[in-house]
Each structure stands twice: as structure tokens, then as C-alpha cells.
Amino acid sequence: WATCRPTCSRNHLVHCTRAHAQHCCRRMSCAAPLQVGYVSPDLFTHSVSYFAEAPLSRHSRSRVQLYVYSCVGKPDVKTVRLRQQVAANGGVWRDVGRLPEHQLAQLIRQDGIDILVELTGHTANNRLAVCAMRAAPVQVTWIGYPNSTGLDAVDYRLTDAICDPVDTKQTFTEELVRLPGCFLCYTPAPEAPPVAPLPAAANGFVTFGSFNNLAKITPQVLTLWGRILNSVPASRLVLKAKPFSCPTARHHVMAQLAAAGVAAWRVDLLPLTAGTGEHLSVYGLMDISLDSFPYAGGDAHCCYGV
């Protein structure tokens, strides 16, 4: 936000509503930094947290006064680390998970937030109702949901020209702000293990794999993956997802792979592991990662460096 501020009066404000333009102009006329708030229930060991860590810890203190409204239900070590990083950067961390929407909106107004960034969209435990109450003069959606919020009160959506091409026919209630390059910035987990040796070198066969959310792995995806395995003799497939602790879910996926001509001995279905370090070490089992479509992986693919 701070880097956009010098050109705001020329190019950006022409697209704002009059009220937003007046607010931005008033803020730009004073020397005080912009008050930027982030609201999210996912500031724990959650995919969103790995993309939120950089902005929460890297804002310029001379240009931005940072506020974080954490709606986390069960804080963990990642929550503690993020809170410490925000404090070290001069920011304010507020635990607001128990506040109802109208009280949270009022708190954000009392804090004098200029730009409110919600990181959830239409995913679990979102606080979109706070945005609907116009808690801040300028409101933005980012990271957590690959589509429009559908709310007129959310002014902008941060994206890039790859995810949302300039000629896209998809409609949004928000104005799209296409960041240069990629709209995401991934921060690896500090407990990530060293990059593992290539499994095929020791195994003598190629192992394909995917740790995507099982909801993304449709019958069409499994059919294509079956064709890939059948074209590479002796290759194997390892999948890892939360539902694989359930026999019914395992049987459902194995049946689809069997219909695609993949023998059961070639497939390993793994449930969730206990911690981040252990989870990342499991990536060492695969040689080549397979992505889902049309909904591709996010955090799962950023982990493939291990």
C-alpha cells in the first residue's frame, strides 16, 4: 500500500468513490503513516499464513502502521511467531476471535483503519460481515479465496495477470488490482527439512505424487493421472490428504484409480501427519508432483522445494 501511495492522487483515485477519494486525500496530506489492518481466522499453521507472513512482517514502519485482527480459534506456534513478528515491526496485534461482527467493525473504526485487508473470502470462519458493515473507508480482499467476495463494500481484490488476465470474462464486484509478477509471496516454514535425494535413484522407479486437498482431485483428474501412470512402467503414486484416515474415502479413490487401470499395489494413500516438519519430510517420497485442475494447488506446491 505504501508504495502505491505517491501515485494515488493521479491514477488510483479516479476509480475510487468520492468518499474514498476524500479520505485518501486527507490521509495523504498529513505526515502520519497509513493505518492498514489485516483480518483473518487463518493465522496459525494454515496455508494462508505462509502467504500472509511476509506482509505482516515487512511493512515499512515509516509509511504503514500495521494492525492485525486475529480471529484464530486455536492459536499454535505459528500464531505465536506471527504475533512476535508483528510486534517487532511496530504493529498492533488484537485477538478478536470471540468478538461478534458488529463489535469487531466498531473496534476497527475506533482504531482509525484506512485500509482493511481481509484474507479469507468465502472460506471457513470468515469475517466478511465486518466488511459488509464498511469497517474501513477502503476494503480489500486477498490470498484466501480465488474469486470475488460478491460484496459491493469490498473495493479491491489483489491478483495478477496470470490468475486474472486483463481480458478475463469473469465478473467481480471488486476492482482488480494486478500486482506485478505473482500476487502471492510464500515464506517457507523454518522447520522444513533439507531437500531429499531423488527417490527414483534408490528405488529404480518413478514416484508421482500430490498432496492437494482431496476436493480438488476430481474423477477427471484421477483418470488423467491413471493415464500418466500407465504410460510409465512400474511407476507409483503417493497421495496425502486428511480424508485418507477414513476407509470409505480410501476405497472411493482406489476404486476410481482401479477404473483407470491402476493396480492397488502402485498407490499409497497417506493421512495427515502430526507436525509441519514431518509433513514436509513426506515430500521426499515423490519424484514428480502432479497438479489438480481446474483448481490448482497453492501452498501444497510451494512446499515441493523440499
Side-chain angles (χ1 to χ4, degrees):
W1 322 109
T3 57
C4 295
R5 192 176 174 192
T7 59
C8 182
S9 59
R10 300 184 188 89
N11 303 320
H12 184 59
L13 294 185
V14 296
H15 301 294
C16 295
T17 66
R18 180 173 297 179
H20 298 163
Q22 290 173 346
H23 173 84
C24 289
C25 289
R26 286 197 303 270
R27 294 292 288 114
M28 291 172 61
S29 65
C30 65
L34 282 171
Q35 308 272 101
V36 178
Y38 291 85
V39 58
S40 174
D42 299 326
L43 302 178
F44 62 104
T45 306
H46 182 283
S47 298
V48 167
S49 71
Y50 292 98
F51 299 105
E53 185 166 348
L56 294 187
S57 60
R58 301 282 180 167
H59 270 300
S60 169
R61 296 178 65 170
S62 65
R63 295 186 175 187
V64 171
Q65 174 58 57
L66 174 65
Y67 285 79
V68 175
Y69 302 93
S70 172
C71 306
V72 175
K74 295 182 179 180
D76 62 8
V77 292
K78 183 65 176 290
T79 310
V80 173
R81 184 166 73 248
L82 291 173
R83 186 189 293 117
Q84 292 171 341
Q85 291 174 338
V86 168
N89 200 34
V92 177
W93 181 285
R94 301 199 186 284
D95 290 307
V96 296
R98 294 181 179 274
L99 286 184
E101 271 75 6
H102 70 280
Q103 291 184 13
L104 177 53
Q106 183 59 32
L107 175 62
I108 292 169
R109 295 187 192 106
Q110 290 173 356
D111 285 338
I113 299 301
D114 299 304
I115 302 173
L116 180 66
V117 187
E118 78 83 27
L119 302 176
T120 319
H122 289 284
T123 59
N125 304 310
N126 70 75
R127 306 306 289 268
L128 286 175
V130 172
C131 294
M133 297 175 189
R134 181 56 75 178
V138 178
Q139 301 188 136
V140 181
T141 184
W142 187 31
I143 298 180
Y145 186 66
N147 207 331
S148 174
T149 63
L151 296 178
D152 291 335
V154 177
D155 307 294
Y156 303 101
R157 177 173 173 268
L158 299 188
T159 183
D160 58 47
I162 301 298
C163 292
D164 294 290
V166 176
D167 60 352
T168 182
K169 292 181 172 58
Q170 186 173 351
T171 57
F172 303 88
T173 55
E174 309 88 0
E175 179 179 338
L176 298 185
V177 178
R178 295 178 176 86
L179 301 181
C182 180
F183 79 104
L184 295 173
C185 182
Y186 180 75
T187 302
E191 57 268 49
V195 176
L198 189 72
N203 295 335
F205 56 84
V206 173
T207 301
F208 297 97
S210 176
F211 294 173
N212 280 354
N213 188 306
L214 191 56
K216 301 178 182 180
I217 302 177
T218 64
Q220 292 80 9
V221 170
L222 289 173
T223 297
L224 178 60
W225 289 357
R227 290 171 55 192
I228 292 173
L229 264 72
N230 289 330
S231 67
V232 182
S235 62
R236 296 178 64 94
L237 176 67
V238 57
L239 304 179
K240 183 173 181 289
K242 184 177 181 179
F244 289 146
S245 60
C246 171
T248 302
R250 293 170 59 86
H251 175 75
H252 177 71
V253 171
M254 292 299 290
Q256 293 183 76
L257 287 170
V262 179
W265 65 266
R266 302 177 69 186
V267 182
D268 291 303
L269 304 182
L270 307 179
L272 293 186
T273 48
T276 301
E278 184 178 351
H279 165 69
L280 294 175
S281 69
V282 182
Y283 280 89
L285 297 177
M286 70 173 74
D287 298 290
I288 300 174
S289 66
L290 300 176
D291 202 1
S292 55
F293 62 89
Y295 193 167
D299 168 64
H301 289 291
C302 291
C303 293
Y304 283 140
V306 301

